[in-house]
Amino acid sequence: MPKKNYADGCTDVVCSVDYAFKRIGGKYKGRILWNLSDKTVLRYGELRKTLMDVTPKMLTQTLRELEDDELVSRKVYHEVPPKVEYSLTDIGMELIPFINHLKEWGDKQRAKEKLVNTIK
């Protein structure tokens, strides 16, 4: 299939892949989406516990990016102490089968790597 070149020099295929990875790429986005799909709704502290290697600043920044991209919904309860819950939007839910596929691929590759290291 021929690729259509746009004025900015990219092709429709490359631009779509780039668009997708800009929204889900990074160290924490996929893991946040996966954890939210598993638990449905998580509070900030619960997310923090599932991602032990993330700093509070990085978690907040990543959650804001996911919210800006309409992949995650943020619900604030005006009470003391403040309560904030995060959940996947419908758009975010559409990504879960693909993230699951990546997980399965990763599981398979890790198993192969472990087997090779065991043989050595």
Side-chain angles (χ1 to χ4, degrees), residues 1-12:
M1 174 164 85
K3 296 177 183 174
K4 181 178 178 183
N5 286 316
Y6 292 90
D8 61 1
C10 68
T11 64
D12 55 344

Side-chain angles (χ1 to χ4, degrees), residues 2-120:
K3 296 177 183 174
K4 181 178 178 183
N5 286 316
Y6 292 90
D8 61 1
C10 68
T11 64
D12 55 344
V13 174
V14 173
C15 290
S16 296
V17 170
D18 190 42
Y19 176 87
F21 275 106
K22 282 182 181 177
R23 269 122 198 99
I24 62 166
K27 189 172 182 178
Y28 306 109
K29 288 182 180 180
R31 290 164 52 194
I32 290 170
L33 294 169
W34 183 254
N35 280 304
L36 286 173
S37 74
D38 190 38
K39 303 283 194 270
T40 310
V41 173
L42 287 172
R43 293 178 63 182
Y44 181 88
E46 294 170 317
L47 273 169
R48 191 76 209 285
K49 288 177 188 171
T50 64
L51 305 165
M52 292 184 168
D53 61 333
V54 67
T55 64
K57 178 184 175 187
M58 214 43 228
L59 179 57
T60 300
Q61 179 181 328
T62 305
L63 286 167
R64 284 185 185 148
E65 289 172 5
L66 289 168
E67 190 179 1
D68 288 345
D69 288 331
E70 298 179 354
L71 300 175
V72 168
S73 174
R74 179 177 186 258
K75 185 173 182 179
V76 179
Y77 294 88
H78 298 286
E79 56 188 49
V80 177
K83 178 180 170 182
V84 179
E85 292 180 339
Y86 294 92
S87 59
L88 291 177
T89 63
D90 289 341
I91 297 170
M93 287 297 291
E94 289 179 32
L95 287 169
I96 299 309
F98 301 101
I99 294 172
N100 187 49
H101 190 70
L102 283 170
K103 180 198 172 298
E104 290 171 359
W105 178 85
D107 289 344
K108 191 179 353 176
Q109 298 309 312
R110 289 177 65 203
K112 284 181 186 178
E113 190 175 291
K114 186 176 180 182
L115 180 64
V116 168
N117 289 334
T118 304
I119 295 171
K120 289 181 181 178

